[in-house]
Amino acid sequence: MTAIQILIDGFVISALYGLGAIGFTLIFGVTGVLNLAHGGIMVIAALVGWDAANRFSLDPYGAAALGVLAGLIAAYVTYFVVIRPIQRSKRIPADETEIFILTATLLWGVMIQEGMAYLFSDNPVTMRPLLPGVVHILGDRTPVNELMIGVLCWVVIGLLWLVVYRTRFGKPLLAASENPRALGLLGFEMSNIHLFSWTIYGILTGVAGVLLASFLGVSSASAGGLTASAFSIVVLGGLGSVWGSLIAAYVVGYMETITAYVISPQLRPIPALIVLVLVVYLRPQGILGRR
Amino acid sequence: MEDPQLEEDQMNPTKRIRKLTLGATALGGLALGAAMPALAADSGPIKIGVIGEASSVAGASIINAAKLAADDINQAGGIDGRKVEIITYDDHSSASDAVSAFKRLATQDKVAAVVGSYISEIALAIEPWSGRLHMPYITPGAASTKITAAVHKNYKMNKYTFQGWLNSAFLAQSVCDFGKDEMVGPYHMKTAVIMSEDAAWTKPLDETYKKCLPKVGLKVLDEIRFNPDTTDFTPIFNKIEGQHPDVIVTGISHVGVRPTVQWHDQQVPLPMFGISSQASTSTFWKDTNGAAEGVLTQTGAAPDVATTPKTMPFAKAYQAKFGDSPSYVGYAAYDDVNAFAQAIKRAGSTDPDKIVAEMEKTKMVGTTGTVQFYGKDNQYAHGLEYGKGKVTGLFIQWQSGKQVTVWPEDVANGKMKFPSFVKLTAATH
């Protein structure tokens, strides 16, 4: 029975990790920004969704939609208020822009965390399951909501693939991640591409936050840990590589789940961290990294 | 030697006057500053410091309840005509923040006593400072037995510290007593697994669980201690279920929402009872979206049960002022401020040694029972006394959005009820 449970739990947790990390790696690949407020945006989506559900007595889907919207707005605020002024500032030397953005997003993440703790306390909240009840799979009792979350993650990842590889809006994104300068020379308006990537980022991260809240619960204190987890998955997979991130998410997700079930829940994050250290030593560019 | 300053001042009268005024103000300020401690001791408001965890569910009640206690004392005329003033700090659940707040309260705010923190690790960090600074201190919720053991072992140094809520050994005892009456009795349960968060307060809790559960007829199959940062409880419930116990006995306070929601969503077919501190707050239902249905916890008092004549008026006033009902820590913090106020009144002074001597004589009807502290020869020196006629706490269960008191029988206002996925295994054994 445990084997089946590990398979199912590992699948869903990895899918959530993957969804959370994809936005992080996408925004780095396309716009060069390492957004250390990433976890904060997930937390905003989760807490606003949860609060709206209680405040306006919404059904789980309405609440989830509002949560995703909040995530999108938070992503826009991050871009327009925190990042763009630094990118455009003439007083910051071009070669220091990256470190300024890194610091700014780190501080912004702390501000979000403290702000959310002030508004909602640091107590974890869980959003109502999208589908209640349990099903029995080969004798293993699994919440329907958990399966639904795994499926939803992959639907969103699939949609992302369609947008990026199959639409005329998406192709410039790919190009921008390869060679932003050439794209600019070809006459593409980079700020439009950036705005588009932040839109996708906001939706992805909002969905990840809402689904996480519905599965395991989220608190304002989760922000730092969520950023760290996305960051290590992305480093493991290769900075900027979407597929690498997905593979890394599954490596980390399954290692954690197997450790928790077979060895001890206390040691859950340890083996994945060891692997991360080894990868940084032996293959610094990550699983599918280009550099 | 000629003073050039004087010469300059003589030449410029306006400047001189300004300088004089400044000097006078500074002198006055100094004099005032020097006079302040004496003033604080003899007249003016009596200050009581409060350190709380404003953004945690249980800890948020500390500051609110202490303010309410001061309001009530002041409305009744204060302490011999002197008002009680509450000075509050949020320690953000950090021991170093709490210690700096404590030092500030003692040295700058010049309070007479401090009520602070429900977290054992934090109370244990404050305790030595309470000794060094001779500052009477009481924790309204920290349950570790180490707090009172330190008072017992080194009374001279640590006598300024009191424990205003039942320690873990007593908490565990009351859980065992409940288990005997409500689980072993009616359902003939025979086996249990202990599930506790890894923290200072659960060490003595689990120790006592392991001793007293078998005595009431519940064999302990396993003790699972998990990291308070745990997000996914599926493996833990999975492991527990694999051992086929009749019931889960909990020791959780820093966590609460996650294990409860996952127990409900995964439909773990075992009932849970024990300490689940967050479930004692009225917001727990909303925080868990109703997954709390059927959850049992020991707590200090319930808003609708008149444990003493003081319980319901306090709970009602708290609810009216802050919108939700107090956690167990809130009841204790309210009692602790009152205990200090009465000790200061009896001592007729804010001298710390006199306050401690009077605190030791406390016999006060509070919101959770009759508040008394063990003497210095007891292993739980300065700990809240447990037992019938003193403080026992009670058990509540969440039922359809309401906390129903189910134990002890003389104050119970409802019967236990569990959600349909919970299998009460009486028949199978």
Side-chain angles (χ1 to χ4, degrees):
Chain A
M1 284 320 104
T2 309
I4 292 168
Q5 194 134 25
I6 291 175
L7 266 179
I8 297 174
D9 279 1
F11 176 79
V12 177
I13 285 186
S14 307
L16 263 174
Y17 282 170
L19 192 61
I22 274 186
F24 189 82
T25 198
L26 178 91
I27 214 71
F28 176 78
V30 176
T31 72
V33 169
L34 263 182
N35 178 20
L36 296 184
H38 179 73
I41 294 173
M42 284 172 81
V43 166
I44 287 180
L47 290 177
V48 169
W50 171 80
D51 186 57
N54 283 314
R55 210 176 281 259
F56 312 119
S57 316
L58 295 176
D59 65 38
Y61 294 91
L66 268 184
V68 174
L69 182 67
L72 180 61
I73 293 170
Y76 281 150
V77 172
T78 308
Y79 175 54
F80 284 109
V81 178
V82 182
I83 290 170
R84 215 164 67 145
I86 295 178
Q87 283 173 336
R88 298 198 163 182
S89 168
K90 293 199 167 58
R91 281 179 297 171
I92 299 171
D95 55 344
E96 287 175 17
T97 309
E98 260 183 42
I99 193 79
F100 266 82
I101 289 177
L102 207 61
T103 318
T105 55
L106 177 68
L107 289 178
W108 173 233
V110 173
M111 284 163 73
I112 292 177
Q113 180 167 347
E114 292 297 323
M116 290 291 115
Y118 177 76
L119 289 175
F120 300 105
S121 92
D122 60 6
N123 192 44
V125 296
T126 44
M127 292 180 70
R128 219 171 275 278
L130 298 167
L131 288 173
V134 293
V135 284
H136 292 264
I137 302 171
L138 301 172
D140 176 65
R141 199 183 59 241
T142 304
V144 182
N145 192 48
E146 188 179 333
L147 298 175
M148 168 97 167
I149 285 168
V151 170
L152 270 179
C153 283
W154 276 101
V155 168
V156 173
I157 293 168
L159 284 175
L160 175 71
W161 184 84
L162 277 181
V163 168
V164 172
Y165 286 88
R166 287 286 176 271
T167 67
R168 64 188 175 87
F169 307 105
K171 284 178 180 162
L173 282 190
L174 279 179
S177 70
E178 294 288 334
N179 190 340
R181 183 175 284 236
L183 206 63
L185 289 175
L186 285 173
F188 280 89
E189 186 54 67
M190 284 312 282
S191 64
N192 283 346
I193 294 175
H194 282 191
L195 184 62
F196 184 53
S197 348
W198 279 96
T199 308
I200 294 181
Y201 170 80
I203 295 170
L204 284 175
T205 312
V207 172
V210 164
L211 293 182
L212 185 67
S214 160
F215 180 33
L216 299 176
V218 166
S219 79
S220 60
S222 318
L226 290 172
T227 305
S229 140
F231 195 32
S232 41
I233 285 169
V234 165
V235 168
L236 188 60
L239 270 171
S241 162
V242 168
W243 297 117
S245 295
L246 278 179
I247 294 170
Y250 271 82
V251 170
V252 171
Y254 269 109
M255 285 196 78
E256 285 192 2
T257 310
I258 290 169
T259 312
Y261 275 94
V262 181
I263 306 170
S264 156
Q266 293 253 35
L267 301 176
R268 186 182 183 110
I270 308 289
L273 288 176
I274 295 173
V275 168
L276 180 66
V277 171
L278 286 180
V279 165
V280 170
Y281 256 110
L282 304 174
R283 196 182 154 79
Q285 71 271 45
I287 299 173
L288 292 183
R290 290 163 300 181
R291 287 176 285 214
Chain B
M1 204 177 83
E2 212 188 5
D3 187 353
Q5 192 80 42
L6 203 70
E7 207 181 293
E8 194 195 318
D9 282 352
Q10 274 166 344
M11 284 194 297
N12 189 342
T14 342
K15 207 170 176 184
R16 192 174 158 208
I17 289 165
R18 202 189 298 154
K19 245 195 179 141
L20 272 172
T21 335
L22 267 173
T25 324
L27 260 175
L30 264 175
L32 206 72
M36 275 305 261
L39 268 173
D42 299 335
S43 61
I46 289 174
K47 296 181 189 168
I48 293 181
V50 177
I51 302 170
E53 285 81 19
S55 53
S56 89
V57 180
S61 294
I62 297 177
I63 292 173
N64 292 346
K67 282 185 182 156
L68 205 56
D71 289 351
D72 289 354
I73 295 167
N74 291 337
Q75 225 148 45
I79 302 175
D80 292 331
R82 292 170 68 184
K83 292 236 176 284
V84 171
E85 191 187 324
I86 299 285
I87 297 176
T88 63
Y89 289 99
D90 182 1
D91 65 23
H92 305 100
S93 302
S94 138
S96 64
D97 283 14
V99 168
S100 24
F102 188 82
K103 287 196 249 180
R104 201 186 153 95
L105 283 166
T107 55
Q108 293 182 36
D109 300 320
K110 311 265 184 216
V111 298
V114 178
V115 177
S117 187
Y118 78 107
I119 298 172
S120 288
E121 284 83 348
I122 292 181
L124 284 164
I126 290 178
E127 185 168 19
W129 285 101
S130 137
R132 282 172 207 135
L133 300 170
H134 293 204
M135 175 53 63
Y137 163 64
I138 191 164
T139 163
S144 169
T145 48
K146 279 191 180 166
I147 299 167
T148 48
V151 180
H152 175 63
K153 274 185 206 139
N154 191 349
Y155 178 78
K156 213 175 153 234
M157 165 79 187
N158 292 323
K159 66 170 181 176
Y160 301 96
T161 295
F162 288 80
Q163 189 169 43
W165 181 233
L166 299 175
N167 71 36
S168 300
F170 293 137
L171 292 176
Q173 189 56 52
S174 79
V175 169
C176 287
D177 292 346
F178 169 85
K180 184 182 172 204
D181 291 353
E182 303 296 329
M183 294 286 163
V184 178
Y187 299 109
H188 309 291
M189 293 189 177
K190 289 187 174 63
T191 53
V193 169
I194 298 168
M195 182 180 100
S196 290
E197 65 193 15
D198 200 357
W201 77 277
T202 58
K203 279 178 194 136
L205 183 85
D206 284 9
E207 282 313 306
T208 316
Y209 274 164
K210 281 188 278 186
K211 273 183 232 150
C212 71
L213 286 172
K215 275 189 201 154
V216 300
L218 285 170
K219 189 177 166 204
V220 178
L221 301 179
D222 197 7
E223 176 202 9
I224 294 177
R225 293 178 69 79
F226 61 85
N227 190 325
D229 293 338
T230 304
T231 52
D232 184 6
F233 285 82
T234 322
I236 295 171
F237 285 129
N238 185 264
K239 191 174 170 203
I240 294 176
E241 266 190 78
Q243 289 163 322
H244 304 288
D246 295 334
V247 65
I248 301 172
V249 180
T250 53
I252 54 180
S253 176
H254 297 283
V255 303
V257 171
R258 285 193 173 113
T260 304
V261 169
Q262 292 178 32
W263 169 77
H264 174 270
D265 286 358
Q266 292 161 25
Q267 305 197 353
V268 179
L270 300 165
M272 294 196 290
F273 78 98
I275 314 281
S276 175
S277 303
Q278 295 187 5
S280 74
T281 62
S282 59
T283 53
F284 196 64
W285 184 263
K286 197 176 76 175
D287 292 343
T288 60
N289 299 316
E293 177 78 26
V295 166
L296 286 153
T297 183
Q298 199 270 6
T299 185
D304 56 348
V305 173
T307 308
T308 76
K310 286 195 171 171
T311 319
M312 284 163 74
F314 162 67
K316 220 173 252 169
Y318 189 103
Q319 215 145 10
K321 193 158 179 187
F322 305 110
D324 46 24
S325 67
S327 70
Y328 77 101
V329 191
Y331 292 98
Y334 181 85
D335 287 352
D336 293 346
V337 171
N338 277 299
F340 266 139
Q342 294 186 6
I344 293 168
K345 187 182 164 81
R346 287 196 304 269
S349 129
T350 50
D351 176 74
D353 291 281
K354 287 184 186 159
I355 294 179
V356 168
E358 288 303 328
M359 276 295 274
E360 289 177 341
K361 293 180 201 153
T362 297
K363 191 168 183 181
M364 176 190 86
V365 175
T367 56
T368 57
T370 302
V371 174
Q372 284 167 268
F373 300 102
Y374 289 106
K376 65 176 176 181
D377 299 325
N378 191 293
Q379 59 166 326
Y380 305 130
H382 286 187
L384 183 67
E385 290 194 32
Y386 170 77
K388 275 229 160 83
K390 295 166 184 166
V391 175
T392 52
L394 38 78
F395 262 80
I396 53 151
Q397 186 183 42
W398 278 101
Q399 294 181 5
S400 321
K402 289 205 170 56
Q403 294 176 327
V404 177
T405 304
V406 294
W407 186 87
E409 257 164 35
D410 50 338
V411 294
N413 57 12
K415 288 256 161 274
M416 286 202 302
K417 240 177 12 196
F418 290 93
S420 55
F421 64 83
V422 169
K423 303 279 176 284
L424 297 158
T425 48
T428 62
H429 287 278

